[in-house]
Amino acid sequence: MKEYEVYLDAGGILVGTRDCRVHIPNAYGDGITKVRVFDSKEEFEPYRGTKSNLEFVTTVCGNRIEIPDYDCPSKEPWFDGTVHDWTPIVTLDGCYAVYAHDGEIDFERWGDAREV
């Protein structure tokens, strides 16, 4: 299992690419969200048993699924002059079940994108 942190101003993480992306809500709202990536169902099962409120959200499949460090990227400067561009913290490959709970999002790998 790998764990990452994403900062949210829109209450969910972005998943996809710079050109095509979807927003996945974290079941909590704005702030820092932990994102966990499990490489297999076998790795995820013991963890699942510790979370009584896991909510299945969606499935994502692809050869290049990027998750950026912020959910409102823009090339335009903000009011303070900073720029928050699309900056992936992890790139996934395969088919994943996505769960949300308590401001956290978990990805459970089901297999290769062409096999599932």
Side-chain angles (χ1 to χ4, degrees), residues 33-112:
T33 287
K34 288 187 180 181
V35 174
R36 292 183 191 87
V37 178
F38 295 85
D39 292 328
S40 67
K41 291 180 181 182
E42 294 76 24
E43 182 183 30
F44 186 69
E45 282 307 313
Y47 173 80
R48 180 196 310 264
T50 67
K51 301 293 180 182
S52 62
N53 59 343
L54 277 180
E55 180 182 336
F56 175 78
V57 178
T58 191
T59 303
V60 294
C61 296
N63 296 326
R64 195 182 90 211
I65 305 164
E66 298 174 342
I67 301 173
D69 61 353
Y70 181 57
D71 67 345
C72 296
S74 173
K75 289 186 177 189
E76 299 300 316
W78 282 25
F79 64 92
D80 63 357
T82 61
V83 175
H84 302 271
D85 199 1
W86 181 270
T87 308
I89 55 170
V90 63
T91 301
L92 305 177
D93 180 14
C95 211
Y96 294 81
V98 183
Y99 303 87
H101 59 94
D102 303 323
E104 301 177 357
I105 297 179
D106 301 321
F107 288 78
E108 173 192 13
R109 191 171 197 278
W110 284 353
D112 187 76

Side-chain angles (χ1 to χ4, degrees), residues 6-23:
V6 177
Y7 186 76
L8 308 181
D9 271 335
I13 66 170
L14 288 178
V15 175
T17 65
R18 180 185 301 273
D19 298 320
C20 180
R21 53 192 171 218
V22 296
H23 183 263

